[in-house]
Amino acid sequence: MNIDWDDIIDDLGPRLYRYFCVRFNSEQADDLTQETLIRLVRKVNEGKFDPNRGSLKMLSFGIAHYVALESKQLDQHDSIEDWQDGLADQHDLEAVTITNNMASKLREKLHLLSSIEQQILSLFVDEELTLHEISIILQIPEGTIKSHIFRAKKKLIQMVQKEGVV
Amino acid sequence: MKDHDLDILLAEYRTKKPTDFQMRKWKNAIRQEQKPGAKHEQTSKGQSNNQRIWLQLVAATILGFIVGALVFKTTPKENSFQQMAETESDNATIEYVLTKTN
């Protein structure tokens, strides 16, 4: 199978890097991206890539998902259960962040989400990955992914409001 | 799946870009991987771990033999007591020697 790896890296490298940046610092994201690309090359060279089962892009993000799992050291300082204050059901995240310029604080709270919620949000960084592809990568039904996103957003809004922003 | 809230949340991450240096580094790493006979870091690490374990096992066994030999060698045998007793008295017994020495 003839693959121009330079072109592949030009395409996938930045995307994988952005994916890792959601949950890791820049230096770690750099190393993890390289590790993912190396494993991708190995898989292809070992004949383990079947284009009929999915694209190279999906395979790379699937590998990235497992690389992130291997590397992630959960260091939970807070439990999301600590954020107990009541909240009205409907809140617009955009209104909260724009009004109070709390987008960066919101992102700081990402690590307080559950592991699966972080994994899902990380994959959504890549705008080209569809919900269907993400469900294949994570081996989770699409409906479950949507539920996780809904809960993650709700938690993040609670966190921001807890800090007395709204 | 278009989600406005997610777009806001992830907007900053979507602007992150690797540097040219990083891109070159990845490409070089892939070229190295493509070379025939490229060692797989994970495999070689695993092999060196196995070698280390076997070495530890062998070293521990040898050490065990040495310690065991020293321990048993220093443990006085009955014959040595008897021999020691007989230097003092021809008819001495082990019990006599033990009594005398304790």
Side-chain angles (χ1 to χ4, degrees):
Chain A
M1 186 177 187
N2 273 338
I3 294 180
D4 186 346
W5 285 108
D6 278 359
D7 281 349
I8 299 287
I9 293 168
D10 284 335
D11 176 34
L12 291 176
R15 294 166 68 179
L16 291 169
Y17 180 72
R18 281 193 286 273
Y19 164 76
F20 285 117
C21 278
V22 176
R23 299 170 70 195
F24 301 91
N25 62 42
S26 299
E27 199 178 313
Q28 288 171 311
D30 178 10
D31 291 340
L32 295 174
T33 302
Q34 181 168 313
E35 176 65 23
T36 302
L37 290 169
I38 288 172
R39 290 193 196 188
L40 179 67
V41 168
R42 281 184 201 159
K43 277 212 179 284
V44 171
N45 290 343
E46 289 167 7
K48 292 179 181 175
F49 168 58
D50 181 4
N52 296 324
R53 291 181 60 192
S55 63
L56 202 61
K57 169 190 74 176
M58 278 183 60
L59 177 61
S60 67
F61 276 95
I63 294 170
H65 168 63
Y66 283 104
V67 167
L69 284 177
E70 288 169 2
S71 303
K72 191 63 183 171
Q73 293 167 4
L74 294 171
D75 186 20
Q76 302 260 341
H77 296 292
D78 283 316
S79 165
I80 191 61
E81 280 73 34
D82 292 340
W83 304 92
Q84 288 294 324
D85 285 5
L87 179 71
D89 287 338
Q90 296 295 327
H91 270 269
D92 185 348
L93 184 61
E94 180 176 13
V96 168
T97 56
I98 289 177
T99 304
N100 303 287
N101 200 24
M102 289 298 289
S104 60
K105 284 205 177 180
L106 257 177
R107 283 181 281 274
E108 286 171 13
K109 303 298 180 191
L110 276 176
H111 75 279
L112 294 175
L113 298 174
S114 69
S115 176
I116 188 61
E117 287 165 352
Q118 291 181 50
Q119 291 167 37
I120 292 171
L121 287 179
S122 304
L123 284 167
F124 270 102
V125 162
D126 192 280
E127 295 169 278
E128 291 183 39
L129 277 176
T130 63
L131 181 62
H132 177 68
E133 288 171 333
I134 291 175
S135 78
I136 293 173
I137 289 167
L138 295 177
Q139 299 289 296
I140 299 174
E142 292 179 27
T144 306
I145 291 177
K146 287 180 184 174
S147 300
H148 280 302
I149 290 172
F150 175 77
R151 277 199 289 274
K153 285 196 296 184
K154 195 172 175 186
K155 286 178 191 174
L156 288 169
I157 291 171
Q158 281 179 325
M159 285 188 232
V160 172
Q161 294 205 333
K162 168 95 177 165
E163 289 189 347
V165 170
V166 176
Chain B
M1 176 179 140
K2 274 292 176 191
D3 188 303
H4 190 48
D5 289 337
L6 278 185
D7 288 342
I8 296 166
L9 182 64
L10 301 171
E12 184 183 307
Y13 297 113
R14 287 176 177 161
T15 60
K16 285 196 179 286
K17 284 180 189 174
T19 61
D20 288 340
F21 175 76
Q22 285 171 315
M23 293 290 293
R24 279 199 304 273
K25 187 165 75 78
W26 298 336
K27 288 178 182 175
N28 281 338
I30 298 306
R31 282 188 203 114
Q32 290 296 318
E33 185 63 29
Q34 293 279 81
K35 283 182 182 171
K39 271 192 180 175
H40 290 182
E41 195 177 297
Q42 276 193 336
T43 311
S44 63
K45 268 187 187 168
Q47 283 175 347
S48 69
N49 272 343
N50 279 341
Q51 283 173 356
R52 202 182 306 144
I53 289 167
W54 278 111
L55 276 172
Q56 284 176 345
L57 219 61
V58 167
T61 306
I62 293 170
L63 197 63
F65 275 120
I66 294 170
V67 170
L70 284 172
V71 166
F72 286 109
K73 196 170 182 179
T74 55
T75 304
K77 295 177 190 173
E78 283 190 8
N79 285 345
S80 64
F81 275 120
Q82 187 67 33
Q83 285 167 8
M84 190 171 71
E86 284 171 357
T87 59
E88 191 169 333
S89 168
D90 289 339
N91 297 321
T93 62
I94 292 173
E95 289 79 10
Y96 169 82
V97 172
L98 286 174
T99 308
K100 288 280 274 185
T101 53
N102 283 335

